[in-house]
Amino acid sequence: MSLYDNIRRVTPYVPGEQPAGKVIKLNTNECPYAPSPRVAEAIAVCDAGRLRLYPEPDCHTLKESIAAHYAVKPDEVFVGVGSDDVLALAFLTFFAGEKPVLFPDITYSFYDVWAELYAIPYETVPLAADFTLRPEDYARENGGVIFANPNAPTGLALPLSGVEEILAKNPESVVIVDEAYVDFGAETALPLLKKYENLVVVRTMSKSRALAGMRIGYAFAAKRLIRAMEDVKASINSYTMTTLSLAAGKAAIEDEDYFQQTLGKIIKTREETKASLQKLGFSVTESKTNFLFARNPNIPAQTLFETLRKRGIYVRYFKKPRIDEHLRITIGTDEDMKQLLEELRCLSKR
Ligand code: PMP
């Protein structure tokens, strides 16, 4: 028996690099534009003296503005420290049975980390060869289902009918739909909330609302499910959201015009970049996100990744089965993408 026998050892999720200095950062799906100017105002008027007090434990101010924006009730909303926190709590709350939880073999690589950490049994379900998700594969006994829609890193979206099929086939399991990227053009499962009490929709302000640094995530579900999440949260940490993040989140959600403008710019840049990559010989999936999932038939993805990195352009490369010939490229500004494409053009000519 040694000291180390009593210590939990886990293999953690490894996030994309956050390099210091001036680089073109297309590796963690951040927004290339600043958050709404209303966020800066909301932070500026926060009285530092108030920081001696704990923040709202029930986060009601932020929940109320999220609820009003999406036309649901505040008790159907949960908020957390980025959607990673919301998802981790959802795993802990909803996947407490003995049957395996199901998720795709290619998806957000945090899901298996949480399952391992909480000793939740799970099985991965292979996506089709073209990376699409087949809803019929989820019509079997399970202890819960989670999938990202649109999926990461493929960028592909499942139509609402497919999401509904999974919900309808699993009335006894909680089905979590991770909609981190939904604002960039996919169909949301929110309209299904009234019909399916097993649905949990998870969102983030890190991507479409440009607040990755503030750490704000949220979820929608029937009141009973939200209550269960709140109880688990309150058994770990009563005060997850800071006074500043509550104020910033409220300001961001209330500035619809700015939100739509930012989305419009990113989607336009995405489609232009996709066309340019295709001209260079890349195959690119039909992304409904703020990133592209691309493969060059002639140059290994790892070579592209390493060469770009040396030139100060950071993209994401996953050395994993089935996707180790692809790069995931976040949509930056038009100027960022111009520089990326120039480098890729030079590399293609070599
Ligand atoms: N879900 C998916 C599919 C993601 O790609 C990410 C970003 N890494 C997250 C959730 C978590 O984002 P955040 O914690 O910043 O909300």
Side-chain angles (χ1 to χ4, degrees), residues 13 82-84 87 108 111 148 152 178 180-181 204 206-207 215-216:
Y13 170 78
S83 56
D84 282 342
L87 288 163
Y108 186 31
Y111 299 159
D178 176 354
Y181 301 100
T204 178
S206 298
K207 322 285 179 186
R215 312 303 299 126
I216 306 169

Side-chain angles (χ1 to χ4, degrees), residues 18-298:
Q18 293 291 8
K22 209 177 151 356
V23 298
I24 296 181
K25 204 172 165 304
L26 309 174
N27 67 336
T28 50
N29 299 340
E30 289 142 329
C31 178
Y33 305 108
S36 155
R38 290 205 208 166
V39 169
E41 283 163 31
I43 294 172
V45 300
C46 273
D47 170 13
R50 245 180 68 207
L51 297 179
R52 72 190 174 79
L53 300 173
Y54 283 110
E56 294 168 4
D58 60 358
C59 309
H60 63 268
T61 318
L62 180 54
K63 281 186 180 178
E64 277 158 22
S65 47
I66 293 173
H69 184 80
Y70 291 100
V72 299
K73 299 200 187 83
D75 58 13
E76 295 167 330
V77 179
F78 181 88
V79 301
V81 188
S83 56
D84 282 342
D85 179 47
V86 177
L87 288 163
L89 282 166
F91 267 65
L92 197 51
T93 310
F94 302 125
F95 299 158
E98 269 150 35
K99 292 178 201 156
V101 166
L102 305 179
F103 51 84
D105 61 340
I106 300 165
T107 190
Y108 186 31
S109 40
F110 225 138
Y111 299 159
D112 54 349
V113 173
W114 288 313
E116 296 282 346
L117 173 65
Y118 298 135
I120 296 166
Y122 68 96
E123 274 171 30
T124 56
V125 181
L127 294 175
D130 63 358
F131 298 139
T132 51
L133 184 152
R134 290 170 297 219
E136 63 273 24
D137 291 349
Y138 294 79
R140 60 177 160 109
E141 239 197 354
N142 63 67
V145 175
I146 175 157
F147 58 96
N149 195 36
N151 198 10
T154 65
L156 297 176
L158 180 66
L160 193 57
S161 55
V163 177
E164 178 154 19
E165 187 179 333
I166 296 175
L167 286 161
K169 295 261 169 68
N170 289 284
E172 286 164 18
S173 302
V174 170
V175 176
I176 302 175
V177 187
D178 176 354
E179 293 191 350
Y181 301 100
V182 76
D183 294 326
F184 300 102
E187 285 177 283
T188 175
L190 278 183
L192 301 176
L193 264 185
K194 286 200 168 62
K195 198 166 162 194
Y196 295 94
E197 59 181 3
N198 56 335
L199 171 63
V200 178
V201 176
V202 177
R203 294 281 188 96
T204 178
M205 295 205 194
S206 298
K207 322 285 179 186
S208 55
R209 294 188 193 269
L211 282 176
M214 262 293 167
R215 312 303 299 126
I216 306 169
Y218 49 110
F220 301 98
K223 184 177 164 184
R224 237 176 110 186
L225 298 193
I226 295 295
R227 187 70 257 153
M229 277 187 87
E230 290 291 351
D231 288 345
V232 171
K233 178 206 121 170
S235 306
I236 299 174
N237 181 357
S238 313
Y239 308 104
T240 49
M241 305 301 287
T242 67
T243 303
L244 289 180
S245 58
L246 290 170
K250 179 173 153 60
I253 213 97
E254 288 173 356
D255 196 348
E256 182 65 14
D257 287 350
Y258 186 87
F259 174 65
Q260 292 300 341
Q261 256 176 45
T262 309
L263 288 181
K265 282 197 282 190
I266 293 170
I267 292 169
K268 182 165 176 281
T269 307
R270 178 185 74 203
E271 294 310 309
E272 288 167 1
T273 308
K274 182 179 170 187
S276 304
L277 285 170
Q278 285 169 331
K279 273 195 205 134
L280 288 176
F282 281 83
S283 57
V284 190
T285 59
E286 200 193 326
S287 172
K288 299 289 183 198
T289 63
N290 67 337
F291 57 83
L292 291 169
F293 196 54
R295 156 174 215 273
N296 187 306
N298 305 316

